[in-house]
Amino acid sequence: MSRVCIYPGSFDPLTHGHLSLIHRGLKIFDALIVAVANNPDKVPLFSPAERMALIRGALGPDPRVEVDSFEGLLVDYAKRRGIHTVLRGLRAVSDFEFEFQLANMNRRLDPQFDSVFVMTGEDYFYISARLVREVARFGGEVTSLVPPNVREALERKRAEGVFSRKGSA
Ligand code: ADP
């Protein structure tokens, strides 16, 4: 029986931290579903379709990874997919409290639900999508933080003036 896990997140945009987690996850699971959370209450920098395309583009063709998106509760999405295990990353102690709450809430909503926590490589633990957006917004160098296709997409957003619009990033 193959072991499949959902790796949910905003991925706005995909970073080397996320990629490191995907590669580590594939050592534990046979396949992963990278699930882009679409939260209609937030104004993301990249639309869900753009975020999915960036993930696909960065990973290249890999039959072990499916890229999908979902709206609403993660447990409902997981139930629909018939999967009860999610992969989450831990960076610092600061992530722990939120992840602990989330994992327990998800377990309360679905007793079968389990969360698997993985740490990124030490070169990546300080990277967050929020910081990447902040650095890119002011024209900082993001080469070491994101894959090349994401860097190019961030440059295009900057050229389009998206960063200066209210509510973005
Ligand atoms: P971010 O916090 O970067 O906006 P997401 O909401 O997309 O990221 O995060 C999805 C999951 O990936 C979360 O479990 C988060 O802790 C994890 N993650 C993101 N960046 C890293 C990183 N650099 N190292 C470890 N885990 C990470």
Side-chain angles (χ1 to χ4, degrees), residues 7-11 15 17-18 21 88-91 95 99 120 124-125 127-130:
Y7 176 32
S10 308
F11 305 105
T15 68
H18 296 129
L21 230 74
R88 297 289 291 174
L90 284 180
R91 280 164 286 204
D95 272 345
E99 292 293 342
T120 40
Y124 304 127
F125 74 89
I127 304 176
S128 73
R130 188 181 62 78

Side-chain angles (χ1 to χ4, degrees), residues 2-3 15 22 25 30 37 39 47 54-55 58-59 66 73 81 85 90 122 124 128 140 142 147 158 167:
S2 78
R3 290 162 308 168
T15 68
I22 291 170
D30 300 311
N39 181 350
S47 70
L54 289 172
I55 298 168
L59 289 171
E66 176 188 334
L73 288 176
R81 300 294 315 244
T85 314
L90 284 180
E122 58 195 29
Y124 304 127
S128 73
V142 293
R158 203 170 128 79

